[in-house]
Amino acid sequence: MDPAYKNDAASLYETALSDCNIALQLKPNLAAGYEKRGLIFLDLQRNEEALRDADSLMKFQPENKLGYNMRGTAYLRLKEPINALADYEMCISLEKNDHRSYNNRGTIYHTYFHKYTEALVEYTSALNISPLGKCHLNGSYSY
C-alpha cells in the first residue's frame, strides 16, 4: 500500500472518530454515534473499543441487529467464539435472512470447533440466502 494513501486513510479515520466523540459528548445516548464509532473501531482492529460501543448501542437499541453483528465480530477477533455465536444467533433471530451471520457461524464451527458438518449447514444457509456471497468459498473448506 502506498504510504501516502495509508496516512490519508488513517487521518480520515481519526477525523471520523473525533466527530463521533464530539457527537457523543453532546448527546451521550445517541445510538447512531455508538454505531458509527463501533464500525470505525472494527475497521481499525480496535476490538475492545468496538465491543464497548456495541454494548452501548444495544443498551439504547436492543433490537439493532448491527449491534449484535459488531459485537459478534469483535468477540470473534478476540477469540471468544462462544460469545460470537450467541450474538450471531441473535442477529439471525432479528433478521432471518442475514447471510453474513450464517457465514460467520460457519466459520466459527469450522475454525474453532472443527465441526465441519455444522459449518457446512451454516454456509449452505448463507448461500441459499445470498448465492453470490463469499460463503461459497468458505463452504468448500468443509468438504
Side-chain angles (χ1 to χ4, degrees):
M1 176 182 289
D2 179 10
Y5 175 77
K6 192 174 183 179
N7 289 337
D8 287 345
S11 175
L12 290 172
Y13 276 117
E14 289 307 316
T15 299
L17 278 175
S18 176
D19 290 347
C20 289
N21 289 336
I22 290 168
L24 288 167
Q25 285 172 354
L26 294 172
K27 195 169 182 184
N29 58 351
L30 181 66
Y34 294 108
E35 181 178 302
K36 301 295 183 213
R37 191 172 69 179
L39 290 171
I40 293 167
F41 284 143
L42 283 178
D43 281 352
L44 295 173
Q45 303 292 318
R46 291 168 59 176
N47 299 307
E48 294 284 350
E49 292 159 296
L51 197 62
R52 283 193 295 275
D53 276 358
D55 286 338
S56 295
L57 171 58
M58 291 182 299
K59 175 180 161 189
F60 297 113
Q61 294 181 342
E63 299 295 310
N64 188 322
K65 179 190 75 126
L66 183 57
Y68 292 100
N69 193 294
M70 283 180 4
R71 192 169 70 180
T73 300
Y75 277 137
L76 189 55
R77 290 177 180 174
L78 294 168
K79 300 189 180 351
E80 296 183 34
I82 292 174
N83 289 329
L85 269 176
D87 280 338
Y88 292 135
E89 180 64 35
M90 190 63 179
C91 286
I92 292 167
S93 74
L94 292 170
E95 184 184 324
K96 204 163 196 62
N97 291 326
D98 182 14
H99 69 278
R100 287 181 182 89
S101 290
Y102 285 107
N103 186 61
N104 290 338
R105 285 164 39 110
T107 300
I108 292 168
Y109 284 124
H110 177 266
T111 305
Y112 289 95
F113 304 128
H114 307 289
K115 293 184 174 184
Y116 304 114
T117 301
E118 288 88 340
L120 192 56
V121 168
E122 298 295 330
Y123 291 139
T124 301
S125 295
L127 273 173
N128 287 335
I129 296 165
S130 178
L132 299 178
K134 72 173 187 175
C135 42
H136 71 279
L137 178 61
N138 290 344
S140 67
Y141 297 131
S142 298
Y143 282 104

